[in-house]
Amino acid sequence: MPQTIPGLHHVTAISGPPQGNVDFYVGTMLQRLVKKTVNFDAPDTYHLYYGNDRAEPGTILTFFPFVDAGPGRAGPGMASAVAYAVPPGGLDAWMMALAGAAVDFDGPAERFGERMIALTDPDGLRVELIETDRGTAGIAAADDRPVDGGFHSVTLWLDNPDGTARLLTDLFGYDSAGEDSHGAEKRYRFVAKDQGRGAVVDLVTSDARSIGRQGAGTIHHVAFRAENDEVQNAWQDTLRSQGFEVTPQIDRQYFNAIYFREPGGVLFEIATDPPGFATDEPMDTLGHDLKLPPQHEPLRAQIERVLPPITIPRRPTR
């Protein structure tokens, strides 16, 4: 095993029209829009990236906002929730703020000894806020924004967690951190060695029958971190040696990516930390302008005519 995976790099989901998505993640979740670009494979659609103020790996939630997307539904073989980390003591302020903004949420509840709440974005994606000291060191409890904390975890809904669990422990180097039952749902927790930002992956099985369907409000893929190209190449070799069908390296402008389907059916990506999101615009103005990869730049006028306008709201001060 060449390395262990340090945690999540980003999570990519599908949404409906972009304005409601931007209003929620910037205006309600207080994320920064760190990149406004297009789906490189379908440039008539935005690809929006939200993250912390420094646009760091492990904080990045991205969306393909299809204007005419039908509603999706999470089910076995799909990621079903993404969770932000809130510093200890910060959840109460979040609940007050959400209630004041008339945003409904479930909880608080406790999961593996950590307090949490859950809400849904405008398209039905489950978003959780979990109070933890994992990855939130130095963030004051009064700073109730999940901006610097980034991700706590992602939840994968699986029919059978065994193969995914072996991938996480035997290849990625995660530790099993126990299991929990809640009604018909069983949850198995795995944590990356360094216990830092985005270190947790939960595997969930349920007796509730559901057939997942990709669409608005569902997660498309889950990306894990590789520190550089050399580490990513080593992961590519390791995964192929274990029988996984892994793509060649793909240039995503802000990171390089390889993809494969994990045993439970979820699309996994391993993405490099460099070059990062300030490679084509200054850090101070990330997300202000529409950025296109070189292959689509000649089509800029055509693309700008097709894409719906977006107004970026001011992030409230709490």
Side-chain angles (χ1 to χ4, degrees), residues 236-262:
Q236 190 179 46
D237 292 342
T238 299
L239 289 162
R240 284 175 173 169
S241 73
Q242 298 298 310
F244 291 96
E245 294 185 10
V246 187
T247 68
Q249 185 188 71
I250 300 173
D251 180 358
R252 294 304 189 193
Q253 190 85 359
Y254 312 108
F255 47 85
N256 291 319
I258 59 174
Y259 300 88
F260 66 101
R261 193 73 64 174
E262 59 86 27

Short mmCIF file of all heavy atoms in Angstrom, two decimals, residues 236-262:
data_model
loop_
_atom_site.label_atom_id
_atom_site.label_comp_id
_atom_site.label_asym_id
_atom_site.label_seq_id
_atom_site.Cartn_x
_atom_site.Cartn_y
_atom_site.Cartn_z
N GLN A 236 -3.61 4.49 -8.58
CA GLN A 236 -4.12 3.89 -9.82
C GLN A 236 -3.55 2.48 -10.00
O GLN A 236 -4.28 1.53 -10.30
CB GLN A 236 -3.73 4.78 -10.99
CG GLN A 236 -4.36 4.44 -12.31
CD GLN A 236 -3.91 5.43 -13.38
OE1 GLN A 236 -2.72 5.73 -13.50
NE2 GLN A 236 -4.85 5.96 -14.13
N ASP A 237 -2.26 2.32 -9.78
CA ASP A 237 -1.62 1.00 -9.90
C ASP A 237 -2.17 0.02 -8.86
O ASP A 237 -2.45 -1.14 -9.18
CB ASP A 237 -0.10 1.14 -9.74
CG ASP A 237 0.54 1.88 -10.89
OD1 ASP A 237 -0.09 2.00 -11.96
OD2 ASP A 237 1.69 2.36 -10.71
N THR A 238 -2.30 0.50 -7.63
CA THR A 238 -2.79 -0.37 -6.56
C THR A 238 -4.20 -0.86 -6.83
O THR A 238 -4.51 -2.06 -6.70
CB THR A 238 -2.75 0.37 -5.21
OG1 THR A 238 -1.40 0.73 -4.92
CG2 THR A 238 -3.30 -0.50 -4.09
N LEU A 239 -5.06 0.06 -7.22
CA LEU A 239 -6.46 -0.32 -7.47
C LEU A 239 -6.57 -1.27 -8.65
O LEU A 239 -7.32 -2.25 -8.61
CB LEU A 239 -7.29 0.94 -7.71
CG LEU A 239 -7.52 1.81 -6.47
CD1 LEU A 239 -7.97 3.21 -6.85
CD2 LEU A 239 -8.56 1.16 -5.55
N ARG A 240 -5.82 -1.02 -9.70
CA ARG A 240 -5.86 -1.93 -10.85
C ARG A 240 -5.33 -3.31 -10.48
O ARG A 240 -5.85 -4.33 -10.95
CB ARG A 240 -5.05 -1.33 -12.01
CG ARG A 240 -5.78 -0.20 -12.72
CD ARG A 240 -4.94 0.47 -13.79
NE ARG A 240 -5.72 1.44 -14.56
CZ ARG A 240 -5.22 2.32 -15.41
NH1 ARG A 240 -3.89 2.36 -15.61
NH2 ARG A 240 -6.01 3.14 -16.07
N SER A 241 -4.32 -3.35 -9.63
CA SER A 241 -3.78 -4.65 -9.21
C SER A 241 -4.80 -5.44 -8.41
O SER A 241 -4.69 -6.68 -8.31
CB SER A 241 -2.50 -4.46 -8.38
OG SER A 241 -2.81 -3.96 -7.08
N GLN A 242 -5.79 -4.75 -7.83
CA GLN A 242 -6.84 -5.42 -7.05
C GLN A 242 -8.10 -5.66 -7.87
O GLN A 242 -9.13 -6.05 -7.33
CB GLN A 242 -7.19 -4.56 -5.82
CG GLN A 242 -6.04 -4.37 -4.85
CD GLN A 242 -5.55 -5.69 -4.27
OE1 GLN A 242 -6.35 -6.50 -3.79
NE2 GLN A 242 -4.24 -5.94 -4.33
N GLY A 243 -8.01 -5.45 -9.18
CA GLY A 243 -9.11 -5.77 -10.07
C GLY A 243 -10.10 -4.65 -10.34
O GLY A 243 -11.10 -4.87 -11.02
N PHE A 244 -9.86 -3.44 -9.83
CA PHE A 244 -10.76 -2.33 -10.10
C PHE A 244 -10.48 -1.74 -11.50
O PHE A 244 -9.32 -1.65 -11.91
CB PHE A 244 -10.59 -1.23 -9.05
CG PHE A 244 -11.07 -1.62 -7.68
CD1 PHE A 244 -10.19 -2.12 -6.73
CD2 PHE A 244 -12.42 -1.50 -7.34
CE1 PHE A 244 -10.63 -2.48 -5.47
CE2 PHE A 244 -12.87 -1.87 -6.08
CZ PHE A 244 -11.97 -2.37 -5.14
N GLU A 245 -11.55 -1.38 -12.19
CA GLU A 245 -11.41 -0.72 -13.49
C GLU A 245 -11.27 0.78 -13.23
O GLU A 245 -12.24 1.45 -12.87
CB GLU A 245 -12.61 -1.02 -14.37
CG GLU A 245 -12.73 -2.49 -14.77
CD GLU A 245 -13.86 -2.74 -15.75
OE1 GLU A 245 -14.43 -1.75 -16.26
OE2 GLU A 245 -14.16 -3.91 -16.01
N VAL A 246 -10.07 1.27 -13.39
CA VAL A 246 -9.76 2.66 -13.07
C VAL A 246 -9.50 3.43 -14.36
O VAL A 246 -8.81 2.94 -15.26
CB VAL A 246 -8.52 2.75 -12.16
CG1 VAL A 246 -8.30 4.18 -11.69
CG2 VAL A 246 -8.66 1.82 -10.96
N THR A 247 -10.06 4.63 -14.46
CA THR A 247 -9.86 5.45 -15.66
C THR A 247 -8.42 5.96 -15.73
O THR A 247 -7.72 6.01 -14.71
CB THR A 247 -10.80 6.67 -15.65
OG1 THR A 247 -10.38 7.56 -14.61
CG2 THR A 247 -12.25 6.26 -15.45
N PRO A 248 -8.00 6.35 -16.92
CA PRO A 248 -6.74 7.13 -16.99
C PRO A 248 -6.91 8.44 -16.24
O PRO A 248 -8.02 8.87 -15.93
CB PRO A 248 -6.57 7.38 -18.50
CG PRO A 248 -7.44 6.37 -19.17
CD PRO A 248 -8.60 6.12 -18.24
N GLN A 249 -5.79 9.09 -15.97
CA GLN A 249 -5.85 10.39 -15.31
C GLN A 249 -6.54 11.40 -16.23
O GLN A 249 -6.24 11.47 -17.43
CB GLN A 249 -4.45 10.89 -14.97
CG GLN A 249 -4.44 12.17 -14.17
CD GLN A 249 -3.04 12.74 -14.00
OE1 GLN A 249 -2.43 13.24 -14.95
NE2 GLN A 249 -2.51 12.63 -12.79
N ILE A 250 -7.48 12.17 -15.68
CA ILE A 250 -8.23 13.19 -16.43
C ILE A 250 -7.93 14.56 -15.82
O ILE A 250 -8.02 14.74 -14.60
CB ILE A 250 -9.75 12.90 -16.38
CG1 ILE A 250 -10.05 11.52 -16.99
CG2 ILE A 250 -10.52 13.99 -17.09
CD1 ILE A 250 -11.50 11.09 -16.83
N ASP A 251 -7.61 15.52 -16.68
CA ASP A 251 -7.30 16.87 -16.24
C ASP A 251 -8.60 17.62 -15.98
O ASP A 251 -9.36 17.89 -16.92
CB ASP A 251 -6.47 17.58 -17.31
CG ASP A 251 -6.09 19.02 -16.93
OD1 ASP A 251 -6.51 19.48 -15.83
OD2 ASP A 251 -5.41 19.67 -17.72
N ARG A 252 -8.89 17.94 -14.74
CA ARG A 252 -10.08 18.72 -14.38
C ARG A 252 -9.73 20.16 -14.06
O ARG A 252 -10.44 20.84 -13.34
CB ARG A 252 -10.79 18.08 -13.19
CG ARG A 252 -11.39 16.71 -13.46
CD ARG A 252 -12.36 16.72 -14.61
NE ARG A 252 -13.10 15.48 -14.77
CZ ARG A 252 -13.82 15.17 -15.84
NH1 ARG A 252 -13.89 16.02 -16.86
NH2 ARG A 252 -14.46 14.03 -15.92
N GLN A 253 -8.64 20.66 -14.59
CA GLN A 253 -8.20 22.04 -14.48
C GLN A 253 -7.72 22.40 -13.07
O GLN A 253 -6.65 22.98 -12.92
CB GLN A 253 -9.32 23.01 -14.87
CG GLN A 253 -8.91 24.47 -15.03
CD GLN A 253 -8.34 24.78 -16.41
OE1 GLN A 253 -8.23 23.89 -17.26
NE2 GLN A 253 -7.98 26.03 -16.63
N TYR A 254 -8.48 22.07 -12.04
CA TYR A 254 -8.15 22.45 -10.67
C TYR A 254 -7.61 21.28 -9.87
O TYR A 254 -7.20 21.43 -8.73
CB TYR A 254 -9.38 23.06 -9.99
CG TYR A 254 -10.00 24.09 -10.89
CD1 TYR A 254 -11.21 23.86 -11.52
CD2 TYR A 254 -9.31 25.27 -11.18
CE1 TYR A 254 -11.75 24.79 -12.40
CE2 TYR A 254 -9.83 26.21 -12.06
CZ TYR A 254 -11.05 25.97 -12.67
OH TYR A 254 -11.55 26.89 -13.54
N PHE A 255 -7.67 20.11 -10.46
CA PHE A 255 -7.10 18.88 -9.90
C PHE A 255 -7.06 17.86 -11.02
O PHE A 255 -7.69 18.05 -12.08
CB PHE A 255 -7.95 18.35 -8.72
CG PHE A 255 -9.43 18.31 -8.99
CD1 PHE A 255 -10.01 17.23 -9.64
CD2 PHE A 255 -10.26 19.36 -8.61
CE1 PHE A 255 -11.37 17.19 -9.91
CE2 PHE A 255 -11.62 19.34 -8.88
CZ PHE A 255 -12.17 18.25 -9.53
N ASN A 256 -6.31 16.81 -10.82
CA ASN A 256 -6.34 15.68 -11.74
C ASN A 256 -7.14 14.56 -11.10
O ASN A 256 -7.08 14.36 -9.88
CB ASN A 256 -4.92 15.22 -12.09
CG ASN A 256 -4.19 16.23 -12.94
OD1 ASN A 256 -4.77 16.82 -13.85
ND2 ASN A 256 -2.91 16.45 -12.65
N ALA A 257 -7.87 13.81 -11.92
CA ALA A 257 -8.83 12.86 -11.38
C ALA A 257 -8.66 11.48 -12.01
O ALA A 257 -8.35 11.35 -13.20
CB ALA A 257 -10.25 13.36 -11.61
N ILE A 258 -8.88 10.46 -11.19
CA ILE A 258 -9.11 9.11 -11.68
C ILE A 258 -10.41 8.62 -11.03
O ILE A 258 -10.74 9.03 -9.91
CB ILE A 258 -7.94 8.15 -11.37
CG1 ILE A 258 -7.69 8.04 -9.86
CG2 ILE A 258 -6.67 8.59 -12.10
CD1 ILE A 258 -6.65 6.98 -9.49
N TYR A 259 -11.13 7.77 -11.75
CA TYR A 259 -12.44 7.32 -11.28
C TYR A 259 -12.50 5.79 -11.31
O TYR A 259 -11.90 5.14 -12.17
CB TYR A 259 -13.56 7.86 -12.19
CG TYR A 259 -13.64 9.36 -12.26
CD1 TYR A 259 -12.89 10.06 -13.21
CD2 TYR A 259 -14.46 10.08 -11.41
CE1 TYR A 259 -12.97 11.45 -13.31
CE2 TYR A 259 -14.54 11.46 -11.50
CZ TYR A 259 -13.80 12.15 -12.45
OH TYR A 259 -13.87 13.51 -12.53
N PHE A 260 -13.27 5.26 -10.38
CA PHE A 260 -13.58 3.83 -10.41
C PHE A 260 -14.86 3.60 -9.62
O PHE A 260 -15.28 4.44 -8.82
CB PHE A 260 -12.43 2.99 -9.83
CG PHE A 260 -12.18 3.19 -8.35
CD1 PHE A 260 -12.65 2.27 -7.43
CD2 PHE A 260 -11.48 4.30 -7.88
CE1 PHE A 260 -12.43 2.44 -6.07
CE2 PHE A 260 -11.27 4.48 -6.53
CZ PHE A 260 -11.73 3.56 -5.62
N ARG A 261 -15.50 2.47 -9.86
CA ARG A 261 -16.73 2.12 -9.16
C ARG A 261 -16.37 1.19 -8.00
O ARG A 261 -15.78 0.14 -8.19
CB ARG A 261 -17.68 1.42 -10.13
CG ARG A 261 -19.10 1.26 -9.65
CD ARG A 261 -19.90 2.55 -9.65
NE ARG A 261 -20.12 3.13 -10.96
CZ ARG A 261 -20.88 4.19 -11.18
NH1 ARG A 261 -21.50 4.78 -10.16
NH2 ARG A 261 -21.02 4.69 -12.41
N GLU A 262 -16.69 1.63 -6.77
CA GLU A 262 -16.37 0.80 -5.61
C GLU A 262 -17.33 -0.40 -5.53
O GLU A 262 -18.36 -0.40 -6.22
CB GLU A 262 -16.38 1.65 -4.32
CG GLU A 262 -17.67 2.35 -4.01
CD GLU A 262 -18.63 1.47 -3.23
OE1 GLU A 262 -18.16 0.57 -2.52
OE2 GLU A 262 -19.85 1.67 -3.36
#
